[in-house]
Amino acid sequence: WEDDPGQALDDLAVGINALWSPDRLGGFAIITNPYTLAVEPEPVAILRDGQHGVLVQVRHLRSREQVHNSVTVIVERTDGLAPIRVTARDTDPVSPTYWAGSFGKQNETVKTQIPLTRAAATLVAQRRLAQSLALARSWSITMPPGIGQVLDPGDLVAVLYRGEVTAQVIESIRYAKDAGSTVVADLRQFRTITTLPEE
């Protein structure tokens, strides 16, 4: 806490599968991490290109960088018992990041001393995996201030761009300073992980 208060708050949020982020009013909000959801929630907005659309500019990236298709969570026990260890993997054979496919095997190991049960560690592994896989497709979207000013980090939006509809989570947003400027949101694809991690 003394060295990095921000990281300390992030660590606390990880333990309850939550996110904290600045809000539009200059404070901070704590929200449930959308990647912990087993089903896709209703989008708070639909953003589309073309006629009557609100997308001014879209930058879509596909990347392998920092993408892991397996996450192992190790919970260190303070009672001297063996650590709890759970692994979640992308087991969808049609996924471009499938564990046994051409993407390869990229595992991330997360160690924590937060006292988690096996079920809670499972949720952390699934959430970390979903967030990591979502990095494979990310967007930066520029919008006019009208719709953009009511969106917040953590919101899920539906984006219709070049004939493809994707569910995306807003990671960060830079609001318009006045009516003549634009809103820029950074987003990544919403992914759910429904399979249970390996024991």
Side-chain angles (χ1 to χ4, degrees):
W1 177 258
E2 293 86 0
D3 299 330
D4 192 344
Q7 184 61 52
L9 292 172
D10 283 342
D11 292 345
L12 288 172
V14 165
I16 58 171
N17 283 309
L19 296 173
W20 67 278
S21 64
D23 62 21
R24 285 174 272 149
L25 303 175
F28 288 92
I30 297 175
I31 59 170
T32 300
N33 191 312
Y35 291 98
T36 61
L37 304 175
V39 295
E40 184 178 306
E42 287 292 319
V44 299
I46 299 174
L47 310 176
R48 63 181 77 232
D49 61 1
Q51 189 174 8
H52 306 299
V54 298
L55 302 182
V56 175
Q57 182 181 13
V58 176
R59 186 168 51 92
H60 176 205
L61 300 176
R62 292 176 184 264
S63 176
R64 288 177 55 96
E65 290 184 29
Q66 299 180 356
V67 177
H68 300 92
N69 54 4
S70 174
V71 175
T72 299
V73 173
I74 300 172
V75 181
E76 303 289 348
R77 305 282 292 269
T78 58
D79 55 10
L81 297 176
I84 296 172
R85 180 185 181 100
V86 294
T87 300
R89 290 190 176 132
D90 184 358
T91 56
D92 182 357
V94 299
S95 170
T97 53
Y98 178 47
W99 173 255
S102 59
F103 181 84
K105 298 180 178 181
Q106 300 290 330
N107 186 67
E108 176 189 26
T109 300
V110 179
K111 294 184 177 181
T112 180
Q113 293 183 344
I114 297 174
L116 301 176
T117 63
R118 178 170 293 278
T122 296
L123 286 176
V124 170
Q126 290 174 329
R127 191 253 312 155
R128 291 284 293 233
L129 178 62
Q131 283 182 270
S132 179
L133 295 180
L135 281 171
R137 297 186 71 186
S138 60
W139 288 260
S140 179
I141 294 177
T142 303
M143 301 166 279
I147 183 71
Q149 293 295 95
V150 299
L151 299 175
D152 290 304
D155 283 348
L156 183 130
V157 296
V159 177
L160 174 57
Y161 178 64
R162 295 186 176 176
E164 181 187 22
V165 179
T166 54
Q168 301 179 27
V169 176
I170 297 176
E171 293 281 294
S172 64
I173 191 161
R174 294 177 293 285
Y175 297 108
K177 296 178 181 175
D178 53 56
S181 56
T182 56
V183 176
V184 180
D186 295 320
L187 310 94
R188 70 169 88 169
Q189 184 178 16
F190 179 76
R191 297 281 301 262
T192 59
I193 304 297
T194 55
T195 55
L196 289 175
E198 298 177 354
E199 292 289 332

